[in-house]
């Protein structure tokens, strides 16, 4: 959904502050000058992307509300969150690069002496309302105030599970800089962020913050926070490059050929943070499956295994019909098949991509069984047989 314009001034009081604002004035003029804005909306690379569920509503409802499937979409026990402490984050990373996945798409990247916070969501629900909408399946690993100073906050797009008003309001009182796609800065100003702390970029534009270069790169998705989708705010993936290291954050995106171009222009990367959860056959253009996420990482790295892949956009909110643990299991299979190193930290567990990666499948202790219907390492027996999982429990794909 996108930003809502009240049909009359008298109804403006009904608009929640979390809806943000539509771009206007010079911000809207700049959007109209963008080469990616045509026919009144931002355009996706590779042509139009289906942003609404395909197929019949009845078919979707049958899958989504199936009792057995609903049980698999949530952990059956307490998610083992790493209790991140100040000591975890106080000492500099030995290699110069450390990542801490806070859950969903929120990642703290400590890179060459700077601290970058991607898509911070500390709220209890990804929703404009505190009483409705998808609720967290595990707590935030540490209070936002305990995170310490952040040099730059990077936002991929304005959907509620990536741009959280309470979190932004808390960060508005700090000295951090905000790097956002075109149009998104209006929301932040509306919530108290000073315009001089905004870096609002179109695709392929860059900004310098301290010793880092941040570049907005294409993604295949959509935008919006209100009751109708104006497509007047941009969505982006991000490249962050320091003197010694460079990382990539995908934001939300469907798979597209542009990953190769991003890798050729900005890679290879020491680590990528790749969205590979909340996928479904009903919206294949705007989110990636685990198989596609591993393929995207390889494209970004020039077609060969390199660096570390950190799966994001899974485990924290229930946003799709697939089983809760399926992204973890299927990414593990796909990466093994490709020979690609993948980090599977518990939420809040810091790791250095150049060091020993966390690889334990921690989700298995608290999840319903997940089948592996298509991946099998060469020369090995089917994964389902190795794990003792009944193929009848396969999630829809």
């Amino acid at each position: 959904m996108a930003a809502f314009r009240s049909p009359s001034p008298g109804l403006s009081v009904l608009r929640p502050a979390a809806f943000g604002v539509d771009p206007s004035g010079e911000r809207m003029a700049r959007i109209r000058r963008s080469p990616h804005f045509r026919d009144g909306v931002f355009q996706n690379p590779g042509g139009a992307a289906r942003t609404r569920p395909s197929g019949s509503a009845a078919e979707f409802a049958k899958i989504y509300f199936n009792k057995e499937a609903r049980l698999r979409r949530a952990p059956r026990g307490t998610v083992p969150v790493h209790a991140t402490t100040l000591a975890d984050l106080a000492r500099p990373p030995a290699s110069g690069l450390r990542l801490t996945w806070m859950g969903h798409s929120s990642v703290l990247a400590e890179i060459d002496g700077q601290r970058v916070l991607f898509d911070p969501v500390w709220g209890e629900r990804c929703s404009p309302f505190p009483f409705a909408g998808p609720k967290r399946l595990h707590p935030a690993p540490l209070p936002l105030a305990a995170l310490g100073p952040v040099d730059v906050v990077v936002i991929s797009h304005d959907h509620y599970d990536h741009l959280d008003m309470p979190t932004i309001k808390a960060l508005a009182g700090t000295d951090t800089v905000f790097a956002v796609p075109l149009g998104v800065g209006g929301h932040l100003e509306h919530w108290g962020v000073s315009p001089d702390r905004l870096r609002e970029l179109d695709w392929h534009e860059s900004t310098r913050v301290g010793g880092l270069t941040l570049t907005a790169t294409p993604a295949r998705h959509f935008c919006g926070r209100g009751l109708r989708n104006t497509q007047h705010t941009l969505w982006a993936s991000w490249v962050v490059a320091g003197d010694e290291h460079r990382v990539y954050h995908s934001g939300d995106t469907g798979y597209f050929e542009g990953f190769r171009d991003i890798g050729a222009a900005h890679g290879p990367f020491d680590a990528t943070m790749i969205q590979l959860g909340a996928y479904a056959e009903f919206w294949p253009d705007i989110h990636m499956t685990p198989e596609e996420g591993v393929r995207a990482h390889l494209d970004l790295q020039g077609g060969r295994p390199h660096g570390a892949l950190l799966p994001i956009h899974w485990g924290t909110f229930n946003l799709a019909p697939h089983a809760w643990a399926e992204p973890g299991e299927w990414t593990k299979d796909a990466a093994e098949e490709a020979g690609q190193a993948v980090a599977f930290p518990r939420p809040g567990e810091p790791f250095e991509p150049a060091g020993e990666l966390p690889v334990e499948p921690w989700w298995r202790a608290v999840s319903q069984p997940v089948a592996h219907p298509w991946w099998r390492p060469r020369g090995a027996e089917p994964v389902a047989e190795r794990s003792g999982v009944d193929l009848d429990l396969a999630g829809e794909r």
Side-chain angles (χ1 to χ4, degrees), residues 115 127 254-255 303:
R115 306 177 92 227
S127 166
Y255 179 81

Side-chain angles (χ1 to χ4, degrees), residues 66-226:
N66 175 273
K67 183 177 180 181
E68 185 178 342
R70 288 177 67 185
L71 289 174
R72 295 201 301 274
R73 291 203 302 271
R76 64 181 180 185
T78 302
V79 176
V81 174
H82 177 87
T84 315
T85 66
L86 192 58
D88 286 326
L89 305 176
R91 68 180 187 281
S95 66
L97 176 63
R98 180 167 59 209
L99 302 180
T100 307
W101 179 51
M102 299 296 178
H104 201 58
S105 295
S106 303
V107 183
L108 175 67
E110 298 168 273
I111 174 170
D112 297 342
Q114 307 284 302
R115 306 177 92 227
V116 181
L117 185 59
F118 292 95
D119 284 357
V121 174
W122 259 252
E124 280 300 304
R125 297 183 185 270
C126 48
S127 166
F129 308 108
F131 53 84
K135 191 175 182 180
R136 299 184 71 95
L137 300 174
H138 65 79
L142 79 169
L144 187 63
L147 194 61
V150 173
D151 295 291
V152 57
V153 170
V154 175
I155 303 296
S156 64
H157 63 298
D158 66 3
H159 285 159
Y160 290 97
D161 56 324
H162 297 260
L163 180 60
D164 179 55
M165 182 184 71
T167 303
I168 297 300
K169 282 190 167 185
L171 291 167
T174 69
D175 294 328
T176 189
V177 171
F178 293 82
V180 303
L182 276 184
V184 174
H187 299 315
L188 274 63
E189 285 187 39
H190 188 59
W191 299 331
V193 176
S194 173
D196 62 4
R197 288 164 51 208
L198 289 172
R199 307 290 186 271
E200 202 162 340
L201 306 183
D202 200 351
W203 291 341
H204 309 299
E205 291 183 343
S206 298
T207 188
R208 290 281 293 180
V209 178
L212 302 178
T213 299
L214 298 95
T215 305
T217 46
R220 188 165 169 78
H221 200 57
F222 68 114
C223 64
R225 298 179 68 83

